[in-house]
Amino acid sequence: MEEKQVAPKVSAIVVSWNNAAQLRRCLEALERSTNRQEMEVVVVDCGSQDESPRMDADFPAINMLRLPRHFGIVKALNIGMRTAVGEYFLLLPPEVELQPDTSGKLAAALDATSEAVAVCPLSLSPEGDAVTRYRSVPVPREAAQAWRDGDFADWAPAERDAEPVLIEYPNVPVFMARANFLKGMRYIDERYGNSGWDLELCCQIRRAAKHILLLPRVSVIIHPTPAGIPSPAARAQLSADRALSIAMYAGKHFSWSAGAKTRIGITLHAIKGALASLVTFREVRYHFALLSALISGQKIDGSQSAF
């Protein structure tokens, strides 16, 4: 008689885009996981031009899904989650390196509590410093200001070896979440493009009166993204996508007027930046490309031309 195949406990979902070295390190760490036998690994490649789409030649146990172009992280995550069959989804950026026991401990924490929809490990730098920060889910004004400033100013630090703590919104989006909850959300709203999926997930968890549990004694290593020199148009497109995701978040979870007000405020800020660049002659192409993307609503969805 044929043995009945047991569904994996955990589905690790990794979205890649021209980051072969980081993806390889991430997959090597997943292969070393102590619970590898009960884990599936799904990699969704967003039309990379490097060796990322051929990584399954070196890791034959992974499920490699190849997209023809970059449709945005949100769509790629949804494709990965619709393919995955695990009880828990581990949403994992490729710059993250798991410890061998990380996945098993995260799954055990979800097994042990019904109140937590998702759990997060503590993210460490390669030097061992805690990188994880957390705060409340932001209101639109706070999120828009963080886009202007480059980050939130009021993150609370997480400490190594502390007791588990309930949080709303972490700065490093490494989650293990219950698959049923994400399916009940109908996955991530694809009106977001490349940004905002973590904010959307955290907001949905709070609205459901559930929790995210940070486990400071379970760790991963966050490796810095190699410094590149993207074109001004590409940088502008990424920034515009973040801004448009904030306006989308405001309109969906607060009110239509909040979404409109947020987008208008962000656009006015971009207009000031574009005018200032004509005076200083600094980053003129970037500022006008950003303004154009904001006015047109061009998110990263496969139709962008910047990359």
Side-chain angles (χ1 to χ4, degrees):
M1 296 178 62
E2 295 183 1
E3 290 188 12
K4 184 177 180 181
Q5 189 172 3
V6 179
K9 179 84 169 180
V10 175
S11 295
I13 301 168
V14 186
V15 175
S16 64
W17 182 57
N18 292 328
N19 47 13
Q22 290 183 314
L23 177 60
R24 180 178 296 279
R25 181 175 52 227
C26 177
L27 294 177
E28 288 173 345
L30 285 169
E31 292 296 332
R32 293 192 296 267
S33 295
T34 55
N35 67 333
R36 181 64 180 92
Q37 296 303 313
E38 58 180 14
M39 177 197 301
E40 71 167 339
V41 179
V42 179
V43 178
V44 187
D45 184 75
C46 299
S48 296
Q49 300 301 309
D50 61 7
E51 64 177 296
S52 298
R54 301 182 294 279
M55 204 66 71
D56 53 340
D58 296 329
F59 299 92
I62 70 173
N63 184 4
M64 173 67 75
L65 306 178
R66 300 173 181 86
L67 305 183
R69 56 187 183 275
H70 199 338
F71 296 104
I73 289 177
V74 171
K75 189 175 184 67
L77 280 174
N78 283 347
I79 290 171
M81 288 189 287
R82 290 188 176 103
T83 302
V85 296
E87 180 181 352
Y88 302 140
F89 290 164
L90 176 58
L91 308 181
L92 196 63
E95 61 268 23
V96 173
E97 179 183 359
L98 266 66
Q99 305 296 331
D101 61 353
T102 300
S103 177
K105 287 184 175 179
L106 293 177
L110 282 176
D111 286 341
T113 177
S114 60
E115 291 302 312
V117 165
V119 291
C120 296
L122 181 71
S123 297
L124 304 175
S125 70
E127 295 73 31
D129 299 320
V131 176
T132 298
R133 303 286 187 269
Y134 58 90
R135 71 181 312 278
S136 59
V137 172
V139 298
R141 173 183 52 79
E142 294 172 325
Q145 188 63 49
W147 174 77
R148 296 185 186 98
D149 296 342
D151 200 357
F152 293 98
D154 57 349
W155 292 111
E159 298 181 3
R160 296 189 64 171
D161 299 322
E163 293 298 317
V165 59
L166 296 177
I167 63 173
E168 290 191 4
Y169 183 50
N171 66 328
V172 182
V174 182
F175 298 94
M176 182 179 286
R178 300 184 190 275
N180 286 341
F181 185 84
L182 286 158
K183 292 175 183 177
M185 285 173 51
R186 298 185 179 179
Y187 304 103
I188 307 296
D189 191 332
E190 290 186 10
R191 289 178 293 175
Y192 294 95
N194 200 62
S195 308
W197 68 267
D198 53 335
L199 181 57
E200 172 72 8
L201 176 58
C202 293
C203 185
Q204 292 283 8
I205 290 172
R206 189 180 69 170
R207 289 183 65 186
K210 295 293 184 179
H211 303 291
I212 300 171
L213 187 64
L214 172 64
L215 304 174
R217 295 177 183 175
V218 182
S219 64
V220 299
I221 299 173
I222 301 289
H223 293 273
T225 301
I229 309 177
S231 68
R235 289 190 290 113
Q237 181 63 81
L238 290 167
S239 181
D241 187 277
R242 290 193 295 272
L244 291 168
S245 75
I246 293 167
M248 164 69 192
Y249 163 76
K252 178 176 180 178
H253 293 291
F254 293 84
S255 67
W256 176 89
S257 60
K261 180 179 179 181
T262 300
R263 184 166 175 179
I264 290 170
I266 285 172
T267 303
L268 289 174
H269 179 79
I271 290 172
K272 292 178 182 178
L275 293 175
S277 72
L278 292 176
V279 176
T280 62
F281 298 105
R282 293 181 179 178
E283 297 274 35
V284 175
R285 290 179 59 194
Y286 165 79
H287 284 290
F288 277 87
L290 172 62
L291 179 59
S292 175
L294 289 173
I295 292 173
S296 66
Q298 177 63 68
K299 63 180 180 178
I300 298 176
D301 57 4
S303 64
Q304 71 279 349
S305 58
F307 45 80

